Amino acid sequence: MDPVEHARHEIVRVGTSLFTRGYVHASAGNISAKVGDSHLITPTDAALGFLEPDRLALVDARGEQTTGDRASKTLTLHRRIYEADPTARYVVHTHSTHLVALTLAGVWSPDDVLPPITPYYVMKVGHVPLIPYHRPGDPRVADLVTDRIAAHAADGTPIRAVLLDRLGPVVWGPDAATALAVLEELEETARLWLLTDRRPEPLPAHAVDELRNVFGATW
């Protein structure tokens, strides 16, 4: 299958999966893919559970849209993430309930929105910084996110996600399945922490070290 067509179908598949399992609602959220020097992204105000492949916005290397409905207002953020992390090929943004609730109730810390309370959170998600509130689509968010990506890369702890205050997570990965898995683990960990009244202690240092040594976790 042509790479652009494959990416179209992957975006639709991910959108349908997120919608049917309650990770997105109404027209909240967006999904994109990098294909060569071009980008595919869901249209503005599109319902992710009812996407049509041919209506996805195709944007060329100059940032100009060539086909599809009007691109999501978060296009700038998506393009900048791809520039900042060369391994990224898919970006997913949702308004997942428990992660938005976490920003309202109070995150663990601005540098780590959740403590490392489970081994799979450490291995599959890693550090997730909080990005201060800006209106949806504000281009200044892209600078804040890419600064975080660069800082963690320099520390040897590359990140796979950020949490936008009051707006939800933005996650990315080398393929759609990986990005989706990061989102799911992140949302479920937020749900666990909130369900336990934010009482659980982080895994002890020796346990995190073991996850680094055995599984290559980048915490």
Side-chain angles (χ1 to χ4, degrees):
M1 183 184 294
D2 174 80
V4 172
E5 291 306 306
H6 174 73
R8 288 184 190 277
H9 288 281
E10 282 290 270
I11 289 173
V12 171
R13 181 181 68 82
V14 169
T16 301
S17 176
L18 289 169
F19 178 78
T20 57
R21 294 182 297 134
Y23 286 94
V24 296
H25 61 277
S27 60
N30 37 75
I31 307 168
S32 71
K34 179 175 171 57
V35 186
D37 292 330
S38 300
H39 302 86
L40 274 170
I41 192 166
T42 50
T44 188
D45 295 327
L48 298 189
F50 303 94
L51 297 171
E52 298 176 36
D54 293 341
R55 298 184 67 176
L56 299 178
L58 181 62
V59 179
D60 65 19
R62 296 172 296 178
E64 297 179 2
Q65 184 168 340
T66 57
T67 63
D69 294 348
R70 184 161 61 93
S72 167
K73 53 186 168 290
T74 61
L75 173 62
T76 297
L77 173 59
H78 287 240
R79 294 183 72 216
R80 292 285 300 280
I81 290 172
Y82 292 121
E83 291 173 4
D85 185 347
T87 69
R89 289 295 178 271
Y90 284 82
V91 175
V92 180
H93 168 52
T94 71
H95 297 190
S96 301
T97 303
H98 294 92
L99 285 162
V100 175
L102 176 65
T103 70
L104 300 175
V107 299
W108 189 50
S109 82
D111 293 324
D112 282 301
V113 298
L114 287 162
I117 56 174
T118 70
Y120 276 88
Y121 183 73
V122 173
M123 293 187 293
K124 301 298 184 181
V125 180
H127 297 287
V128 180
L130 178 70
I131 304 300
Y133 177 79
H134 291 73
R135 66 160 174 81
D138 190 325
R140 291 175 293 179
V141 172
D143 291 332
L144 297 173
V145 173
T146 55
D147 285 349
R148 289 291 195 151
I149 293 173
H152 276 277
D155 288 342
T157 56
I159 58 174
R160 307 175 181 93
V162 297
L163 182 58
L164 307 183
D165 188 22
R166 297 176 183 259
L167 289 172
V170 182
V171 308
W172 55 91
D175 50 59
T178 300
L180 189 57
V182 172
L183 174 67
E184 292 171 355
E185 194 68 38
L186 179 55
E187 168 69 2
E188 289 305 303
T189 306
R191 185 170 72 94
L192 286 171
W193 204 49
L194 292 171
L195 283 173
T196 52
D197 294 326
R198 300 186 292 171
R199 290 194 305 253
E201 292 294 322
L203 287 168
H206 70 83
V208 175
D209 284 341
E210 184 179 30
L211 296 173
R212 291 192 189 103
N213 296 332
V214 176
F215 299 107
T218 57
W219 188 274

